Each structure stands twice: as C-alpha cells, then as structure tokens.
Amino acid sequence: MALRSNWRSLAVFVFDMIAVTAAWGGAFLLRFNGDIPSEYLSLLWTGLLVLLPAQALIFRGAGLYRGIWVFASMPDLLRILRAAAISIFAIAVGVVLLAPQPPLPRIVFVAYPLLLILIMGGGRAIYRVFKEHREFGALRGVGKPVIVLGAGREAANLVEELGRSAEWNAVAMLDDDPAKRHREIFGVRVLGGIDEVGRWAEILKARHAIIAMPEASPARHRAVANLCLEAGVQAFTLPAIGQIISNHAAITQLRRLHVEDLLGREPVAIDSPQVRELFAGRVAMVTGAGGSIGAELCRQIARFNPARIVAFELSEFALYTLREEFAERMPEIDLVPVAGDIKDRARVAEVLERHAPAIVFHAAAYKHVPLMEEHNAWQAARNNALGTLVLGEAAMEAGVDKFVLVSTDKAVNPTNVMGATKRLAEVVCQDLQARSTRTRFEMVRFGNVLGSAGSVIPKFQAQIERGGPVTVTHPEITRYFMATHEAAQLLLQAAAMGEGGEIFVLDMGEPIRVLDLARHMIRLSGYAESEISIVFTGLRPGEKLYEEVLANAEQTRPTHHPKLRVARSVMPEGFIMTELRDWLAHRGTRGDDEVRRDLRRWVREYAPYNPPKPVLVARGQENVTGA
C-alpha cells in the first residue's frame, strides 16, 4: 500500500513538472506566435533549468501533494493559485538578480502563471471526473429516486454525495428561491418551489424526499414535513445547523422524520449561568429518577457540574438502567442510585440527612389517568399527595434550599383522580411554603411529554408495528405536547428563577389534535391511511377533550423567560393540613368513590367526569360506527 501511494505521489510530481515545462514553453510560443527566435530559445531552456527545481520546492511548500486527486476541489485550486503567485514572484526576483540577455518578455509574467493554473487545475479536474464516472457513474439511476428539498450549500453537498450512492438517485431539487429555479447543481435540476413536492413526486415516481434545510426555522421545518406527509412522501432530514457534525458526510447524518419535527417548536434557550450557579458543586436529588422526566432531569443537571446527583427511585430496573447509562456515558458524574418509596418517612429522612442535597426535584408520581381512575384511586392519592407531604416535610427538616414539584396541566380544573391528586400535591407545597423558614417550594406545570412511558406516542407506534388498528379516544380530543429534553431544561430554568411559592406554567405551544398525530405517525411509518385503520374508542373515565394550563381563579404574570409564566394560585378556603394528614394516614384502603368524594374537600374545582363509551371506526377521512 505504501509503495502504491509513493508511485502515485511520484506520478503527480512528474505531471506537475511537465505542466511547468508546458506552461513555460507555451508562454514563449504565445509571445512569438509559434516562431521563437534562436536567442530566446537559449533563454527558454536556461530559464527552465532554473525554474524546475524552484517550482518543485514551491509546490511542495504550498501543500500540493496533500490532497487526493479523486477528491480534488476548491482547497486544491487555492493551493495551485498560491503556488502560481509565489512562482511569478520568484521569477521576477530571479530576473532582477540575474538580468538575463535578452531580457525575459513581459508577457511571460502573465501567460506563464495562467497556463500553469490551467494545466495543473484542469488535469486534476479531468482526473476526478474520469474516476467518479468510472467508479460511481454506473450508480446514477440505480438507487431509489429521491427529491432534495432545498438548494443551499448543505443541499449541494448532499446532492454531490448522493451521486456516489448506490442507495439513492437524486432526481430533482426544489427551492423557494426564484433565482435558483431551472439551475443545475451537480447535474440535478432545481425544478420548482418546495410546495410542489407532491406534484413532482408523482411525475418523477419518487416516494422519498430529503429536507436539506438545516438553517430553516422549526416552524418552516414543520410546514415542509407536513407537505411531505400530505403528499405521501417518506421524508428524511438533515440536523439543524448547530447539530451538524463537521468533517462528516451529509448523507451519514440523515435521519427519518420524528414526531418532534411535526411540532415545529423553537429550541429552548436557558440562562445557563443562572442555572449553573444553582447546581455547580452542589448536591441535587431527583425522585422518580428512573422515569422519563426524572432521568432527563438527571442528564440535564449533569451538564452543570454538580457535586453529586442522588437518584431516588422505587423501580429497581429503572434505577439499574439509569446507573448503567451514567456509568457508560458520563462516568465522571457521581450518581448515587437510591432505591426507596417516597412514602417511607424513615428512608426519605435517612437519604436527605446522608447526602444533604441543596435542591430536590420531586418527579415521582402516578400519572396514568385511566389507570388511576378505577381500582387505584387511593394509591394515587397516597403516592401523589402523601408522598409529596412526606418528602416536603423531610426536606424542610433537612434544610434543603429548594424543593421543585413536577406537576401537570391535568391539575387545572381536574376531572380525574390523577389531576386532582396532583393539584392536592400543589396545595401541600403551597402550605409548606407558608410555614417554611428556609426551604423554598416551587411547582412547575406542563403537558404531555413525547415518548414518555405509557404515553400515546409509544402506544401508537406499537399499534402501527402490529399492523393496527390505532386507537384514539375521540376525533376532537387535543393535547399539549413537549419534548422530554425541552421540559427538563425549562424545569431547571424555573428552579433557578423561583423565589418560593410560585406555580410556573410552561409554554406548551399550540394544542395538537390526537387524531392528526395518529395520522402523521402512520404516514411517518411508511403506511397509507388506508392500510392502517384508526379506531375511536370513546373518552375514558376522567378524560377531558382538551387540557388547560390555568384554573379559572388563577392569575398569571410573565417572567424574563419567554417560555415561563407564573400563576398565582388561590389556596382552598378552610384548608387544614392536619385534616389532610389524618386522611392520608388512614391505614386501611378506601374505595374509588370515597376517594373522589373526599378529594373535593381540598380540591374544590375537581369535577369527576365519566363519559359514555361509544366505539367508532375511522378509515382515512371517513368515520363509521362500529361494534
């Protein structure tokens, strides 16, 4: 291999010396119209004897032999231009010092470097075209036809790489810039605007598209992704410009569209110095650390150099999984996996005393609405409300600086046990804040987290993989959705901003129809809506058609962060903590109806709802009643 490389380098060097000879002789021929006088022939050959070794040194110093000819590109041309400029300067110096007779014709100072650039640059370009045609030319038209959306620099790089791919065949580009229409980029024509993707996909028989617009806004990405879905085109995308890995081929960074791409949410920007000040060199504790939000909180906290993260979790498997992840990906972080139940006062007090966290994130909760509504209402009350009370009082006794309750939009005007018990957890924190001298209690509400355990997206995905049907409770049901990392970042920001007693409300964007989400996921999976049926099963006990972020009696005010607002919630009239503690401390069990009845004592806005259960079946745009 080394011998082969040396021969190639020698061949390139010989070619460049031939180019020097041809350019030098060509400059004299141009000057004398092909008939060089004898006295100038002597100057030509003498000058060449001096020029060849000088050029060899200049070429070597300019780095002309670092590149590979088959990949010759703009950097190689710049090296040739630099070498030519140095050469003409060296020739001028030589003429001044040696003063040859007859004098060197002035046109040589112009013609020689131009001819040298033409021969050396052209030779490399011709070789690259020849090699690419021989090695990759047969691949064009073989791969799957794909339309590239965008015609910027990244799109051009992608098209060039697609030309060497056996898997893909770029058949067209689309871009909204009129100046680029009907132009060609690496042999691929820009046929029209991006909104024409459906028409061109049908004409060109292309079932795939690549969104190569890394600088576009999230809203624009969402619009283009939806265009692809509506056209029945399976889309891939390049990452955002800040996430593109340098020195990696664009084609290797392609990924399929995710559900997050259809939300079009602007990326979260947090006040990193403020958040870092909260965590750097301090101990943080996360309950429910094995869950979707808890685990992401641990990952985000790890970015800010904490002294230790105490991961408190009831599930052994979830705790093991989190520990293994940190051991593999972030071994420098001191993660302490603690198994325990937040209702266990002795265990909670022991952990807080031993590790002395400065901040506690309380994410442990029962969150599944239908599951907690029937047969498990009392367990929801104990876990969500009693667990918060036990942990909150222990945090006060241990001198924790901040206690952050992870709450939910379902706590607003709740119609189900889960939402009512989470609202009760908020009331507990508000009462503890009123009695606390050091610990500051804060609450953060947000909606559904994409991909969290037990949420609708993994459920839809599993149903699609089984071939359907996909079950949706109601054709008009809407929900707020947020990416896990986004929710965790805003939780950290709220924790850094809070002064005690606030209920922070996250900007969840616009609500999304769950039916639309189901249809998008079917298309993202490569199926037509006629292939996967959608079944409407009817609203479940306690389930709302839509979620709210503020209760009727609450007021809100903005903060300095555009995605965080503060709700000033009113404490329930006549609330007495001792009565709630006695109720929660009941050693026996309570029936679901009893729990629902008693919850209304402390959560006055709680209005249980048990809808009828019609079953409908939808195929595509048509809905028919089914059994």
Side-chain angles (χ1 to χ4, degrees):
M1 183 63 73
L3 182 63
R4 186 178 179 184
S5 177
N6 289 336
W7 272 108
R8 284 179 175 174
S9 297
L10 180 61
V12 173
F13 176 75
V14 170
F15 172 82
D16 287 347
M17 292 301 99
I18 293 173
V20 169
T21 303
W24 184 254
F28 277 84
L29 287 170
L30 285 173
R31 167 62 182 84
F32 297 106
N33 295 321
D35 185 17
I36 306 173
S38 57
E39 63 270 25
Y40 280 97
L41 277 174
S42 175
L43 177 63
L44 185 156
W45 293 114
T46 304
L48 189 61
L49 289 175
V50 177
L51 187 61
L52 283 172
Q55 287 286 199
L57 292 173
I58 290 170
F59 290 163
R60 185 76 178 177
L64 286 183
Y65 307 113
R66 296 176 195 159
I68 300 174
W69 273 35
V70 73
F71 299 120
S73 57
M74 186 60 69
D76 299 279
L77 179 59
L78 292 175
R79 292 190 188 103
I80 293 172
L81 291 173
R82 185 163 56 246
I86 296 171
S87 300
I88 202 65
F89 176 76
I91 292 171
V93 171
V95 167
V96 171
L97 294 177
L98 300 176
Q101 292 296 326
L104 188 69
R106 284 174 293 181
I107 194 173
V108 172
F109 289 95
V110 177
Y112 171 69
L114 291 177
L115 289 171
L116 187 65
I117 292 168
L118 180 64
I119 297 169
M120 291 177 67
R124 283 162 168 79
I126 291 169
Y127 181 79
R128 174 174 178 173
V129 170
F130 165 74
K131 288 286 287 185
E132 287 200 348
H133 178 75
R134 193 177 75 174
E135 294 183 18
F136 308 117
L139 298 177
R140 288 193 179 271
V142 174
K144 292 175 286 190
V146 62
I147 298 173
V148 177
L149 305 181
R153 183 182 299 276
E154 289 75 19
N157 292 339
L158 177 64
V159 167
E160 183 181 15
E161 291 168 23
L162 290 173
R164 297 192 289 265
S165 169
E167 182 180 1
W168 299 105
N169 174 29
V171 294
M173 300 179 76
L174 300 177
D175 194 277
D176 291 333
D177 184 356
K180 295 177 181 176
R181 303 282 173 85
H182 312 299
R183 300 292 183 90
E184 283 192 4
I185 298 177
F186 293 108
V188 180
R189 197 170 186 185
V190 182
L191 296 178
I194 290 174
D195 59 350
E196 300 177 59
V197 61
R199 181 169 74 91
W200 285 111
E202 185 175 354
I203 293 171
L204 299 169
K205 308 302 181 187
R207 295 195 61 187
H208 300 85
I210 299 174
I211 304 173
M213 305 161 54
E215 294 183 340
S217 68
R220 181 57 179 153
H221 262 283
R222 176 185 180 182
V224 174
N226 280 316
L227 282 172
C228 292
L229 290 181
E230 290 167 6
V233 174
Q234 191 170 0
F236 296 78
T237 185
L238 282 174
I241 195 72
Q243 299 172 329
I244 289 179
I245 305 172
S246 58
N247 302 321
H248 282 60
I251 198 170
T252 65
Q253 300 185 61
L254 291 178
R255 64 166 176 81
R256 289 179 181 272
L257 282 180
H258 297 158
V259 177
E260 292 92 329
D261 296 308
L262 304 177
L263 298 182
R265 294 179 63 84
E266 294 290 337
V268 171
I270 62 175
D271 187 347
S272 294
Q274 186 182 26
V275 176
R276 187 176 302 279
E277 185 179 352
L278 180 64
F279 293 106
R282 307 177 82 189
V283 178
M285 176 173 166
V286 179
T287 70
S292 306
I293 289 294
E296 185 62 25
L297 274 171
C298 292
R299 297 183 196 106
Q300 296 291 339
I301 292 170
R303 297 169 48 206
F304 298 99
N305 302 316
R308 184 180 305 121
I309 299 175
V310 180
F312 194 95
E313 173 60 52
L314 181 60
S315 167
E316 179 190 25
F317 178 71
L319 194 60
Y320 167 79
T321 303
L322 182 67
R323 187 193 67 175
E324 290 301 296
E325 177 188 334
F326 268 72
E328 180 180 347
R329 299 184 181 180
M330 291 174 276
E332 73 282 1
I333 299 298
D334 183 9
L335 180 85
V336 181
V338 176
D341 186 339
I342 54 170
K343 301 188 297 294
D344 185 341
R345 293 180 184 274
R347 179 60 166 160
V348 168
E350 172 205 350
V351 172
L352 288 171
E353 182 179 353
R354 176 182 298 177
H355 298 287
I359 182 168
V360 171
F361 285 93
H362 179 32
Y366 285 147
K367 64 176 185 177
H368 198 272
V369 171
L371 199 62
M372 294 300 107
E373 196 66 23
E374 298 178 323
H375 314 300
N376 299 299
W378 179 235
Q379 294 306 313
R382 284 180 54 78
N383 195 66
N384 294 353
L386 178 60
T388 301
L389 177 59
V390 169
L391 184 64
E393 289 183 333
M396 288 170 59
E397 293 171 6
V400 172
D401 290 339
K402 286 197 174 188
F403 182 104
V404 182
L405 172 69
V406 178
S407 191
T408 171
D409 56 5
K410 294 173 179 63
V412 182
N413 295 325
T415 59
N416 51 67
V417 169
M418 193 283 280
T421 56
K422 289 299 286 184
R423 174 58 190 142
L424 189 54
E426 292 180 353
V427 171
V428 166
C429 288
Q430 289 177 288
D431 182 81
L432 294 177
Q433 173 64 38
R435 295 189 281 118
S436 175
T437 57
R438 173 174 176 177
T439 305
R440 287 172 287 173
F441 289 83
E442 298 154 17
M443 296 132 277
V444 184
R445 289 178 186 162
F446 54 88
N448 298 275
V449 174
L450 290 171
S452 64
S455 68
V456 69
I457 289 175
K459 177 183 175 182
F460 284 172
Q461 191 63 53
Q463 291 173 336
I464 292 168
E465 289 173 359
R466 291 196 300 266
V470 174
T471 57
V472 178
T473 58
H474 192 284
E476 297 303 322
I477 193 168
T478 63
R479 289 292 181 265
Y480 292 97
F481 289 97
M482 177 178 280
T484 311
H485 64 87
E486 183 181 3
Q489 288 173 347
L490 289 175
L491 274 165
L492 300 191
Q493 182 67 66
M497 291 166 52
E499 299 175 357
E502 302 100 334
I503 297 179
F504 286 94
V505 179
L506 304 191
D507 174 13
M508 297 297 297
E510 295 298 321
I512 296 173
R513 263 203 334 166
V514 176
L515 175 59
D516 292 339
L517 184 66
R519 287 173 169 160
H520 288 331
M521 290 191 66
I522 290 170
R523 293 169 183 162
L524 282 176
S525 300
Y527 295 99
E529 288 183 37
S530 58
E531 297 176 285
I532 303 286
S533 62
I534 299 175
V535 176
F536 295 113
T537 57
L539 290 175
R540 297 168 294 183
E543 192 170 43
K544 295 180 179 181
L545 267 180
Y546 58 91
E547 300 291 1
E548 304 162 89
V549 291
L550 287 174
N552 297 333
E554 292 176 332
Q555 300 295 321
T556 182
R557 60 178 173 84
T559 69
H560 70 264
H561 195 284
K563 294 203 172 196
L564 287 169
R565 297 183 69 85
V566 173
R568 290 292 184 185
S569 184
V570 179
M571 280 288 289
E573 186 178 346
F575 177 80
I576 301 174
M577 178 63 81
T578 54
E579 292 182 359
L580 176 62
R581 184 182 284 107
D582 291 343
W583 184 71
L584 292 171
H586 180 66
R587 293 186 178 277
T589 60
R590 299 183 188 274
D592 294 343
D593 290 337
E594 182 184 359
V595 171
R596 279 190 278 268
R597 181 198 68 201
D598 291 347
L599 278 174
R600 298 200 65 186
R601 293 170 54 191
W602 296 287
V603 185
R604 300 291 175 84
E605 63 271 30
Y606 170 45
Y609 176 58
N610 288 292
K613 295 183 178 181
V615 178
L616 301 172
V617 177
R619 287 188 180 272
Q621 302 295 326
E622 297 180 359
N623 298 341
V624 297
T625 302

